[in-house]
Amino acid sequence: DRETLRYFMWEVDAKRGIPTLAEMVVQGVEFPRSSGLSEVLKAEAASLLQAGPEKWTDEHIEIQRYVISDLLEDLREPRSRQELLASASALYGILAEFYFRSKRLWSAKRKALVRRMKKTDPVLARRFSDCFDLAFSQSDCRNLIALGEEILAPYGGLLFDGYRKKSPSNWRK
């Protein structure tokens, strides 16, 4: 129903930054034919896509910078090929999501990440893919580390040494 659709588009998809349902509605073909309701729903979905995802807070950007910095550090001197692969695998989604969400752009998951990146910045998408290909195939992470640093740079760069985040007081016993 219309209210459930609105809830999932605006409260779920918009908050997580991945517009799956809105894109399905906009791209969907009405069956057996277009109706007043389908036109309204398509317009609402298009409005959500135009509005973009929720803006990340400065605190969330800081946390993600720390996570990415930690993974990049693991790639600088991995203890084994398995650790390199694990760190690069974790970095793939996190770095792409940071690129999109820090710019208040819609993101994606897994195989759709590079597809979305190609629409946003084809040059970056090629570079992103090439860096990960090199890391996975030859264990060469230099370009990937440089790309990660470049993506973080507009937000203050790497965040590692001296970073501290206090836990909420209700977590303490």
Side-chain angles (χ1 to χ4, degrees):
D1 65 76
R2 186 175 181 181
E3 291 306 312
T4 303
L5 182 66
R6 281 181 171 159
Y7 171 80
F8 278 99
M9 286 192 313
W10 291 93
E11 298 299 321
V12 177
D13 286 358
K15 287 184 186 323
R16 70 183 183 128
I18 302 171
T20 307
L21 192 54
E23 287 178 336
M24 287 172 35
V25 170
V26 167
Q27 296 169 9
V29 176
E30 300 95 337
F31 184 81
R33 66 192 146 286
S34 177
S35 69
L37 177 59
S38 67
E39 290 171 9
V40 167
L41 296 176
K42 280 184 173 276
E44 288 180 12
S47 174
L48 172 67
L49 293 173
Q50 181 66 33
E54 271 193 11
K55 183 179 191 265
W56 268 5
T57 64
D58 291 342
E59 179 182 18
H60 195 82
I61 287 173
E62 186 176 88
I63 291 167
Q64 295 306 322
R65 281 177 53 215
Y66 176 79
V67 170
I68 291 167
S69 297
D70 186 39
L71 289 167
L72 291 173
E73 191 62 29
D74 289 344
L75 292 176
R76 287 182 203 284
E77 295 182 36
R79 295 183 184 142
S80 67
R81 175 154 171 76
Q82 290 72 32
E83 287 188 17
L84 180 145
L85 294 173
S87 296
S89 295
L91 185 62
Y92 186 90
I94 292 169
L95 186 60
E97 182 180 33
F98 185 90
Y99 164 76
F100 289 117
R101 297 302 307 280
S102 63
K103 297 176 181 317
R104 202 167 176 218
L105 299 171
W106 291 111
S107 188
K109 290 285 184 200
R110 294 175 294 280
K111 64 184 180 185
L113 280 169
V114 172
R115 195 176 327 143
R116 183 168 299 281
M117 198 177 285
K118 284 179 183 176
K119 292 178 183 175
T120 306
D121 186 339
V123 173
L124 178 64
R126 178 79 259 153
R127 188 168 165 218
F128 186 89
S129 294
D130 290 347
C131 288
F132 278 97
D133 283 346
L134 197 56
F136 290 127
S137 67
Q138 298 177 30
S139 298
D140 183 349
C141 297
R142 291 173 292 181
N143 293 343
L144 180 53
I145 292 167
L147 177 64
E149 290 173 346
E150 184 180 310
I151 288 173
L152 293 180
Y155 305 94
L158 296 172
L159 181 61
F160 203 64
D161 292 336
Y163 176 69
R164 182 179 170 170
K165 178 150 176 49
K166 291 180 86 174
S167 61
S169 58
N170 64 339
W171 287 11
R172 297 183 185 100
K173 293 189 177 199

